[in-house]
Amino acid sequence: DQQVKQNSPSLSVQEGRISILNCDYTNSMFDYFLWYKKYPAEGPTFLISISSIKDKNEDGRFTVFLNKSAKHLSLHIVPSQPGDSAVYFCAASAYSGAGSYQLTFGKGTKLSVIP
Amino acid sequence: SQTIHQWPATLVQPVGSPLSLECTVEGTSNPNLYWYRQAAGRGLQLLFYSVGIGQISSEVPQNLSASRPQDRQFILSSKKLLLSDSGFYLCAWSAGAPPVTQYFGPGTRLLVL
């Protein structure tokens, strides 16, 4: 059972426009959510996160919105730039016992920003 | 600042051969450490995690094993590789307490032939 879902495998956006990447989750125990960006043959890079006690977090061009009642979060990139072209992973965290907090990842959305 | 290293970057191994991938973290103490695998076209699958030296938890039954001989060293091993072990292996670290952001290494691409 997939607890974190990114239903759009790919997204194409014109340079300068807004990119909106979506993520849904099913486990109500998740209390911390993260977005990662990944280029081919590289490790994921942490982008931005949000705690379950907030509904919005902003960092430069990146904003993450959390709707707990809908179990939905989204990443907004404004304005989109060609260098933003990558695979974006949504991840959610829950305490898994014995001092460990595990992340559950979605399958990723490939963003292509067209110049 | 913290840095995470993985080696080798790329590895081609025959079926049935052993495997040893190494991960080390600098600039932090007592991190939580993780091994993930990303198969082609798929998401990140957690294989093992460790909250301390000698403490290993396995998430997926398989022919891989992990060890943590030192505080900032995490090793992924296999005695006999299978074709299905091919993939991109990622090591990550996080602090032992919230926030629980995980930071990833550059990865090792393993091809088993």
Side-chain angles (χ1 to χ4, degrees):
Chain A
D1 179 34
Q2 209 177 338
Q3 298 187 60
V4 177
K5 296 181 181 179
Q6 293 178 256
N7 292 318
S8 298
S10 63
L11 175 68
S12 289
V13 172
Q14 206 73 30
E15 180 179 3
R17 299 289 187 99
I18 183 172
S19 295
I20 301 176
L21 296 98
N22 294 303
C23 179
D24 298 295
Y25 62 96
T26 57
N27 188 345
S28 57
M29 298 301 293
F30 289 142
D31 58 3
Y32 188 66
F33 302 89
L34 309 92
W35 285 94
Y36 287 84
K37 174 181 180 180
K38 186 181 181 304
Y39 294 117
E42 294 185 11
T45 302
F46 168 68
L47 266 181
I48 192 169
S49 62
I50 187 167
S51 165
S52 59
I53 62 173
K54 296 186 176 181
D55 55 18
K56 177 183 175 181
N57 188 26
E58 191 171 355
D59 183 2
R61 295 187 297 114
F62 302 92
T63 303
V64 56
F65 295 92
L66 175 63
N67 182 332
K68 283 186 64 179
S69 60
K71 294 190 173 65
H72 177 84
L73 65 155
S74 60
L75 174 68
H76 293 209
I77 306 174
V78 183
S80 300
Q81 300 173 353
D84 296 329
S85 297
V87 176
Y88 288 78
F89 288 99
C90 168
S93 172
Y95 183 63
S96 56
S100 176
Y101 295 80
Q102 292 186 25
L103 294 184
T104 302
F105 285 84
K107 292 190 174 182
T109 296
K110 184 177 181 180
L111 174 65
S112 299
V113 180
I114 304 164
Chain B
S1 65
Q2 299 86 7
T3 309
I4 181 168
H5 303 278
Q6 282 186 249
W7 64 91
T10 305
L11 192 58
V12 181
Q13 292 285 94
V15 169
S17 63
L19 173 74
S20 180
L21 302 181
E22 190 164 344
C23 171
T24 59
V25 181
E26 296 176 356
T28 186
S29 297
N30 196 29
N32 287 351
L33 296 172
Y34 309 84
W35 278 111
Y36 289 86
R37 176 169 59 202
Q38 183 184 21
R42 301 186 68 179
L44 298 172
Q45 179 187 37
L46 178 64
L47 302 175
F48 301 95
Y49 67 92
S50 171
V51 299
I53 295 174
Q55 299 178 61
I56 309 294
S57 296
S58 174
E59 288 298 299
V60 182
Q62 59 214 322
N63 71 319
L64 299 171
S65 62
S67 61
R68 185 170 177 174
Q70 300 180 43
D71 181 45
R72 290 169 289 176
Q73 183 185 30
F74 205 22
I75 297 173
L76 183 68
S77 305
S78 174
K79 292 181 179 178
K80 288 185 177 181
L81 283 168
L82 306 172
L83 286 174
S84 57
D85 291 324
S86 293
F88 192 53
Y89 288 83
L90 290 155
C91 181
W93 75 272
S94 71
V100 293
T101 304
Q102 292 182 17
Y103 299 93
F104 286 82
T108 294
R109 182 158 303 281
L110 173 65
L111 180 59
V112 182
L113 300 175

